[in-house]
Amino acid sequence: MSAPSLIRAPETVPTADIPSCYVEGYQAARELDPALADIYIRHTTVGDPVADAVVAELAETATPPQVHGIIAKSVNNHHDLPADTPESLRNLIAEAGRTPEWFEPDLALEGTKGFLRNSDMVLGGLVGGAIIEGFSTLISKSFRIRSRITENGVRRLKQNLLQLVEQFMPGGLEPGGDGWRLSLRIRLVHAQARMLVKGSDEWDEDTYGLPLSTAHMLLGAATFSGRLMQHVARLGGNFTDEEREGYVHVWRYTAKIMGVPESILFTDFASAIRTFEIGLACEPPRDDDAIIMANSIVNSAPILLGFAEDPGRRDKAQFMYQVSRELIGNKLAEDFRYPPGKLLGEVPLIRVRNFANRVGSRIVPGWRSRAAFAKFSDMLDVSDLGESRLSFALPDTVYDEDSHNW
């Protein structure tokens, strides 16, 4: 049974204030959890005022090639900002640099332990489940409009993985840490994309709300934390209860850095799952944009894993489709027009293999540590973005192929 919502909201949101595509989903979600459904819907029309102010100021005062230098100089000297740092950027860095009172480093360290030991299962659950479910929402439209599809799918996966790796490194989310800087970078990219997509002829605010809204940022964090832990468990991961809570705790802090208001953030594993369930219930039915994005991710995964050529890539894609189907369920897989599933599933076999590895680690001294290191090394390899890993360049046109490199 799902945990009850810990968030309380005011009266029902007037229909006139709800983006039209959300009306039906909101009414259904309110039957499950009226308070959380209200919170979610109210934030479908809310952006990120602090980060939005930065990209708006830079759009007026800097050329695209200058943007990286301006942001990087300030973020890399966050403790002693240069005198010419734009005021809006000062506000963003100050806000993101405040560690919340609720953050517990010891609990976060437990999440890191579980992540390092299960990094291959986290990768599988992310690519086969969490990212796919994330693109079942209206966020897929923003990415499709910007052409962030098959040709850029590998880069998208690498960015997600790199953020995962760095935010779980000890000190990674401290101001100046790589996880902190990557989270700020993604926050600014979202703000820039929000500004660009909002002005696109393909986006109708009355219908869709705000592109890359706060609601979607909240749902994304819940999906990549609590929901991902459910996928990892199905794949045979062995997070302890404390490690699982620590994993969600780290994502709660990451979401705060990325601009989600603390007042609406989930607090633990149970509330992250509840946020995922209610947020997903509010979302409109999957359309062609969601189908395009979900399938592009599945087909990009084999390239990410080194299977760039047939027949290896084709076989790996078929394997990924099957694993993804088992993780997200037949209903969503059919909505995404996945190929037919197999009678014999892959997930039970993966779970058995991981159980066997755990047994082996108890019998053979050093097996567990060597296996964990190998898994983590593999994740580092596939998340390598080269010199662009901490670039603060931003897209400058709505269509990605027309933008300067970022």
Side-chain angles (χ1 to χ4, degrees):
M1 180 180 296
S2 299
S5 171
L6 300 179
I7 304 172
R8 289 294 172 260
E11 68 280 353
T12 305
V13 181
T15 300
D17 295 339
I18 303 173
S20 60
C21 76
Y22 281 102
V23 171
E24 184 176 345
Y26 167 61
Q27 292 170 347
R30 219 171 185 279
E31 294 294 321
L32 303 173
D33 191 321
L36 191 49
D38 291 352
I39 288 288
Y40 190 83
I41 285 299
R42 289 180 186 280
H43 286 84
T44 59
T45 56
V46 175
D48 180 349
V50 179
D52 291 346
V54 176
V55 300
E57 182 173 0
L58 290 176
E60 294 181 356
T61 60
T63 64
Q66 293 173 330
V67 168
H68 164 74
I70 294 170
I71 299 174
K73 183 171 66 171
S74 298
V75 171
N76 294 335
N77 295 280
H78 63 94
H79 55 285
D80 186 18
L81 290 172
D84 60 350
T85 299
E87 188 64 26
S88 59
L89 187 54
R90 287 179 179 273
N91 294 336
L92 174 68
I93 292 172
E95 184 216 70
R98 288 191 289 269
T99 303
E101 293 182 0
W102 48 258
F103 181 65
E104 301 177 39
D106 290 343
L107 181 57
L109 183 59
E110 291 301 313
T112 294
K113 291 177 182 177
F115 169 71
L116 293 176
R117 195 174 62 251
N118 293 276
S119 57
D120 58 338
M121 294 299 97
V122 173
L123 172 59
L126 179 73
V127 175
I131 290 182
I132 302 298
E133 289 171 320
F135 279 125
S136 72
T137 70
L138 194 62
I139 200 170
S140 59
K141 187 172 295 294
S142 299
F143 281 87
R144 197 276 306 157
I145 288 174
R146 297 208 57 252
S147 302
R148 299 289 287 178
I149 47 178
T150 304
E151 65 272 19
N152 286 321
V154 174
R155 181 176 175 81
R156 169 71 180 170
L157 289 172
K158 283 179 177 284
Q159 289 173 333
N160 286 121
L161 291 175
L162 183 60
Q163 184 189 25
L164 259 180
V165 170
E166 296 297 350
Q167 75 189 55
F168 281 97
M169 294 299 94
L173 289 179
E174 293 179 2
D178 281 354
W180 182 80
R181 290 191 290 165
L182 281 166
S183 297
L184 271 185
R185 176 190 183 276
I186 294 172
R187 182 176 180 179
L188 287 168
V189 169
H190 285 160
Q192 181 79 349
R194 185 181 304 116
M195 179 178 68
L196 294 171
V197 173
K198 183 180 177 181
S200 166
D201 292 340
E202 295 188 68
W203 192 269
D204 182 345
E205 266 190 81
D206 290 338
T207 301
Y208 305 127
L210 203 62
L212 298 166
S213 66
T214 297
H216 281 147
M217 297 303 103
L218 173 63
L219 180 56
T223 305
F224 291 159
S225 59
R227 180 56 171 169
L228 181 52
M229 284 292 94
Q230 289 185 318
H231 291 317
V232 170
R234 288 201 62 199
L235 291 169
N238 64 329
F239 278 76
T240 66
D241 289 346
E242 188 174 20
E243 288 170 346
R244 184 184 65 185
E245 291 293 347
Y247 185 92
V248 173
H249 192 67
V250 169
W251 261 108
R252 183 187 182 200
Y253 187 16
T254 300
K256 181 263 180 190
I257 296 172
M258 293 180 67
V260 180
E262 293 181 64
S263 60
I264 66 171
L265 268 175
F266 48 83
T267 57
D268 54 17
F269 172 73
S271 62
I273 293 299
R274 191 60 168 170
T275 299
F276 168 79
E277 293 171 344
I278 300 304
L280 209 60
C282 286
E283 287 291 316
R286 290 97 199 183
D287 61 8
D288 288 345
D289 292 326
I291 295 169
I292 291 169
M293 291 307 305
N295 284 276
S296 74
I297 291 296
V298 175
N299 283 289
S300 296
I303 304 174
L304 181 76
L305 298 173
F307 295 87
E309 302 295 332
D310 285 334
R313 179 180 176 183
R314 183 174 301 169
D315 292 343
K316 201 67 177 178
Q318 291 175 346
F319 171 79
M320 287 302 303
Y321 268 119
Q322 181 63 30
V323 171
S324 181
R325 174 182 284 274
E326 293 174 52
L327 291 178
I328 67 177
N330 286 324
K331 172 62 170 65
L332 185 52
E334 294 302 321
D335 287 348
F336 285 147
R337 301 178 191 171
Y338 276 17
K342 298 192 302 185
L343 186 60
L344 180 63
E346 298 286 357
V347 168
L349 299 177
I350 295 173
R351 190 162 54 242
V352 169
R353 183 197 69 194
N354 282 298
F355 176 76
N357 286 339
R358 287 202 298 274
V359 172
S361 70
R362 299 190 190 105
I363 298 173
V364 180
W367 181 341
R368 180 173 176 176
S369 59
R370 287 195 298 271
F373 178 77
K375 294 173 185 176
F376 183 62
S377 295
D378 288 343
M379 180 173 273
L380 287 178
D381 288 341
V382 300
S383 65
D384 183 19
L385 278 169
E387 295 181 358
S388 66
R389 66 190 301 272
L390 279 173
S391 169
F392 287 98
L394 301 177
D396 54 271
T397 65
V398 66
Y399 301 116
D400 201 44
E401 59 266 27
D402 297 330
S403 177
H404 286 82
N405 290 333
W406 60 279

